[in-house]
Amino acid sequence: LSIDEFRLGLLGSSVYVGNAAGAAATAYFLSDSSKVRYTLAVTVLLNAACLLAFAISQSFMYAIILRFATGFLQIFMCVFGPVWVDRFVPERLKSTYLTLLLLGTPLGVVLGYGLSFVCVSHGTWRWAYYIQLIVAVPEALCFLAFPARFMDI
């Protein structure tokens, strides 16, 4: 994309603006227990589509919109995880589950940077996004296959 530092910062921060904007939508969609599985599956698939579109994008403005959409869609999982732990995990294990769940974010960032380094060293940064797409599709299918009684938050 050939962008300067200011635009790179704008690109990086647009994900977090999307997170903030998606919070209200998350509360609405996850409040109806009959829609939780489908909401999570659809948001994961749409997130994967945004990642793919970002990876092939040649437009800076389009990239900003896609990163915003990615953040908007990611917040659904960020909210769902802790609520699910609170609802379904036995009291004595809640702190362990929450620790593992919340540890996923910084570990994901570290692994993402490592994966990006490997991708850039052996090809292009775009492969880091292609790999996320490959992981996201089975994740969405798992939400659809998961028993509805365990998705009622």
Side-chain angles (χ1 to χ4, degrees), residues 110-129 131:
V110 169
L111 291 173
Y113 282 131
L115 177 63
S116 295
F117 171 77
V118 171
C119 290
V120 169
S121 297
H122 299 290
T124 176
W125 62 268
R126 297 173 194 274
W127 271 103
Y129 290 92
I131 291 168

Side-chain angles (χ1 to χ4, degrees), residues 14 18 47 50 64-74:
S14 62
N47 187 36
C50 287
I64 288 285
I65 292 166
L66 290 166
R67 296 302 290 158
F68 173 88
T70 297
F72 186 95
L73 295 164
Q74 284 176 344

Side-chain angles (χ1 to χ4, degrees), residues 21-85:
T26 302
Y28 173 76
F29 282 103
L30 294 183
S31 65
D32 183 350
S33 63
S34 67
K35 296 179 184 174
V36 171
R37 284 186 329 157
Y38 302 108
T39 298
L40 292 174
V42 167
T43 56
V44 168
L45 289 173
L46 287 174
N47 187 36
C50 287
L51 292 172
L52 177 62
F54 176 76
I56 62 176
S57 175
Q58 298 298 318
S59 161
F60 177 72
M61 285 310 296
Y62 191 49
I64 288 285
I65 292 166
L66 290 166
R67 296 302 290 158
F68 173 88
T70 297
F72 186 95
L73 295 164
Q74 284 176 344
I75 198 69
F76 285 82
M77 288 300 300
C78 293
V79 170
F80 174 78
V83 175
W84 186 89
V85 167

Side-chain angles (χ1 to χ4, degrees), residues 134-150:
I134 292 166
V135 172
V137 172
E139 178 186 1
L141 295 175
C142 285
F143 281 121
L144 293 175
F146 213 69
R149 70 180 182 276
F150 293 119

